[in-house]
Amino acid sequence: MNPSEMEGSRSYDAVVVGSGPNGLAAAVKLAQAGLSVAVFESRVTVGGGTSTAELTLPGFRHDVFSAVHPLAVASPFLRTLPLAEHGLEWIHSPAPLAHPLDDGTAILLERSVEATARNLERDARSYKKLVEPLVGHWDDLAADMLRPLSFPSRPLLFSRFGLRAIRSASGLAETAFAGPRARALFAGLGAHSIMPLDRLGSAAIGLVMCVTAHAVGWPIAKGGSQRIAEALAAYLRTLKAEVVTGAAIGSVQKLPKARIILLDVTPRQLLQMVQGFPDEYRRKLERYRYGPGAFKVEWALNGPIPWRAADCQRAATVHLGGTLQEIVKAESGIWRDKHAEKPFVFLTQQSLFDPTRAPEGKHMAGAYCHVPNGSNVDMTAAIEAQVERFAPGFRDRILKTNKMPPAELERLNANCIGGDIAGGIQNLRRLMQTSLRGSPYVTPVAGIYVCSSSTPPGAGVHGMCGYHAAVAALRQLS
Ligand SMILES: Cc1cc2nc3c(=O)[nH]c(=O)nc-3n(C[C@H](O)[C@H](O)[C@H](O)COP(=O)(O)OP(=O)(O)OC[C@H]3O[C@@H](n4cnc5c(N)ncnc54)[C@H](O)[C@@H]3O)c2cc1C
């Protein structure tokens, strides 16, 4: 359906633009409340950041964006939905994460705290002390964390987390741990914050990644991340909602009539799509800061990656970057417009655990590193050198490579501005600004709401931005 066909077509209680996990979660919440809902997605498939495609060779199914989903299984909203009935199956690798080192060993982040601690030699006790109390209360923590900042329901527990989370990832790693293994492991986890690791607040995501590995695991979706979106869309259709793909919305004026409109877009697109914002709000949107971009590579392989540390084959996710010092250096340079010679690499090897991802006997893997926003530098050789460093002979297994620089990520998903995978910088300042001044989902134009990962609780496949935006919209309707 093109926009001109939509004008004058039927009307809805609610229209959602964008079918990322947040758009779909918002639509589900609204449809569950009995509203008539339509979702309009510019791409031919639903899913936004949860998308799978044969990017290299036929039969090799690559996750185009998100690959590993601790926050989806931890999500207080997604957990309530019957997604398994609509085809979603989670696969857990035996260990969530491996982090190889140059001495030929790997640190394994295991499902069990005890087993992980055993990997960390003299830091075993410190690791348990840091992590165990949080793992035991993850459900309570998740409920407070995966929503806009507000007074926590479990203040003591939350302050235990918050006092550590507010620190820098490198500061926390260096004071909590004495040895290089635990420090390197935590630095790699902290790098998911997409912040310089010596910046206050960068420990928060590191802690969340660490605790979720034990509490809920880091699963991949059988068949690819696209299955998450397909299951959400299938459930949504059972609630009588409509999902329209191939419908790029340039302006909200072009949408069918609706009482409320929820936009799964970032501030830059919001400015283009909605006229009539007051100057102050418009300036706020113009000042909104995007974070570094990502450079992503996918490979079709003629065998599994030949890790020097064989334990790396037990984990779907592998962090490549060596020591804490190296990771800190690689991640901080990006904020000064530098490309790391030895980038910190987030690698996933789904086909080791999900045979549907590659033809028999063959394998696929994907990896990305952070780069300055909008970078044009080809990081393929640097990423492959990091894999080769820990898996000599890796390059010989490559059948085909697919490169996705920031511009390609943005072409495939308009929300990846300059290759930013998080919908904006995820720092403490933004968290405070978006959360303490009224609802971050409500715009000054009546009936128009934002529901993307540019709103709290931010990036990740959890659908909680969409859920909270829908709740805010329903509150204003009633
Ligand atoms: C390379 C990469 C790797 C990632 N890895 C992980 C991971 O392993 N685990 C994890 O949890 N998260 C990961 N993420 C983050 C995660 O994918 C996002 O945080 C999440 O998808 C955000 O969901 P969303 O609904 O806010 O937006 P998106 O998923 O970005 O969806 C937005 C949707 O809106 C559509 N749209 C935008 N503008 C318009 C318009 N004008 N008209 C119609 N449709 C429009 C887009 O086409 C898109 O489908 C990754 C992201 C990227 C880019």
Side-chain angles (χ1 to χ4, degrees):
M1 190 190 285
N2 64 43
S4 60
E5 285 169 312
M6 282 187 266
E7 284 173 277
S9 58
R10 65 165 284 200
S11 64
Y12 302 87
D13 292 323
V15 160
V16 177
V17 177
S19 69
N22 285 313
L24 291 173
V28 165
K29 180 68 190 163
L30 297 169
Q32 283 177 331
L35 270 57
S36 60
V37 179
V39 178
F40 293 95
E41 164 59 49
S42 61
R43 302 214 19 103
V44 290
T45 51
V46 289
T50 48
S51 159
T52 304
E54 293 183 337
L55 294 173
T56 52
L57 294 169
F60 292 83
R61 292 179 58 76
H62 299 274
D63 291 326
V64 185
F65 307 101
S66 80
V68 181
H69 298 101
L71 296 177
V73 286
S75 164
F77 183 57
L78 296 189
R79 270 168 37 173
T80 65
L81 307 180
L83 301 182
E85 287 169 29
H86 295 282
L88 178 60
E89 203 177 314
W90 294 117
I91 295 176
H92 290 265
S93 51
L97 168 73
H99 185 131
L101 297 173
D102 286 320
D103 64 4
T105 68
I107 311 153
L108 269 287
L109 179 58
E110 306 271 2
R111 283 302 297 271
S112 135
V113 176
E114 189 64 46
T116 308
R118 276 200 297 275
N119 263 301
L120 301 176
E121 299 166 348
R122 61 186 149 142
D123 284 314
R125 192 184 295 190
S126 313
Y127 183 79
K128 287 203 282 188
K129 194 172 147 207
L130 177 70
V131 170
E132 245 163 10
L134 303 175
V135 173
H137 297 286
W138 167 251
D139 281 351
D140 295 326
L141 263 179
D144 280 335
M145 249 182 290
L146 293 175
R147 66 175 191 183
L149 197 64
S150 48
F151 195 76
S153 54
R154 296 278 306 270
L156 276 179
L157 174 67
F158 199 76
S159 64
R160 185 180 185 103
F161 169 79
L163 288 172
R164 288 159 183 82
I166 204 164
R167 300 189 59 187
S168 71
S170 57
L172 181 61
E174 280 167 343
T175 50
F177 306 123
R181 294 174 74 82
R183 286 179 174 181
L185 175 68
F186 196 77
L189 294 166
H192 286 263
S193 66
I194 327 179
M195 284 166 72
L197 299 188
D198 54 5
R199 179 117 10 121
L200 285 183
S202 55
I205 300 289
L207 274 175
V208 168
M209 298 307 287
C210 186
V211 172
T212 52
H214 302 302
V216 293
W218 289 12
I220 57 172
K222 185 174 180 187
S225 304
Q226 183 82 51
R227 294 284 162 81
I228 304 169
E230 283 168 2
L232 276 164
Y235 174 56
L236 190 53
R237 289 191 179 102
T238 68
L239 301 172
K240 310 270 181 283
E242 288 174 36
V243 181
V244 183
T245 53
I249 307 299
S251 158
V252 291
Q253 309 287 341
K254 300 282 181 191
L255 287 167
K257 280 204 176 55
R259 293 163 73 199
I260 52 173
I261 297 171
L262 277 75
L263 302 174
D264 186 6
V265 302
T266 79
R268 193 172 299 173
Q269 299 135 284
L270 187 62
L271 269 169
Q272 289 160 0
M273 293 170 74
V274 184
Q275 283 69 51
F277 284 140
D279 287 348
E280 196 193 342
Y281 189 75
R282 183 163 278 278
R283 277 196 295 275
K284 197 173 143 187
L285 296 179
E286 284 163 354
R287 281 198 304 268
Y288 187 84
R289 284 184 64 206
Y290 291 90
F295 187 101
K296 195 163 189 282
V297 189
E298 293 290 323
W299 301 285
L301 302 169
N302 67 7
I305 299 176
W307 298 110
R308 196 185 293 131
D311 271 354
C312 290
Q313 295 212 2
R314 295 182 53 238
T317 305
V318 186
H319 282 170
L320 304 173
T323 62
L324 172 137
Q325 290 78 7
E326 269 187 89
I327 299 169
V328 169
K329 186 174 167 206
E331 290 296 299
S332 67
I334 292 150
W335 291 80
R336 297 190 306 276
D337 254 2
K338 291 209 168 76
H339 295 77
E341 225 171 277
K342 291 184 176 180
F344 179 68
V345 173
F346 306 79
L347 181 142
T348 47
Q349 42 184 5
Q350 296 91 325
S351 60
L352 284 182
F353 313 98
D354 178 2
T356 69
R357 303 295 187 99
E360 207 179 332
K362 303 281 188 282
H363 282 276
M364 47 68 64
Y368 69 91
C369 69
H370 296 141
V371 290
N373 190 285
S375 157
N376 293 317
V377 175
D378 187 340
M379 296 298 287
T380 313
I383 291 175
E384 290 181 353
Q386 286 289 61
V387 188
E388 190 75 26
R389 171 179 167 193
F390 299 104
F394 162 72
R395 283 199 194 94
D396 298 337
R397 302 221 166 156
I398 300 174
L399 297 171
K400 185 138 191 228
T401 304
N402 178 67
K403 304 174 187 186
M404 288 185 284
E408 177 65 359
L409 291 174
E410 187 171 338
R411 190 186 69 79
L412 294 171
N413 181 347
N415 285 24
C416 292
I417 307 281
D420 179 338
I421 70 172
I425 295 175
Q426 313 272 315
N427 61 8
L428 280 179
R429 203 162 138 220
R430 177 180 147 199
L431 187 71
M432 304 296 282
Q433 277 174 350
T434 51
S435 303
L436 297 180
R437 294 190 195 161
S439 169
Y441 312 103
V442 178
T443 78
V445 172
I448 294 190
Y449 302 82
V450 196
C451 67
S452 73
S453 66
S454 300
T455 62
V461 175
H462 44 63
M464 293 307 292
C465 312
Y467 168 83
H468 291 298
V471 170
L474 287 168
R475 203 173 292 135
Q476 294 207 336
L477 272 185
S478 61

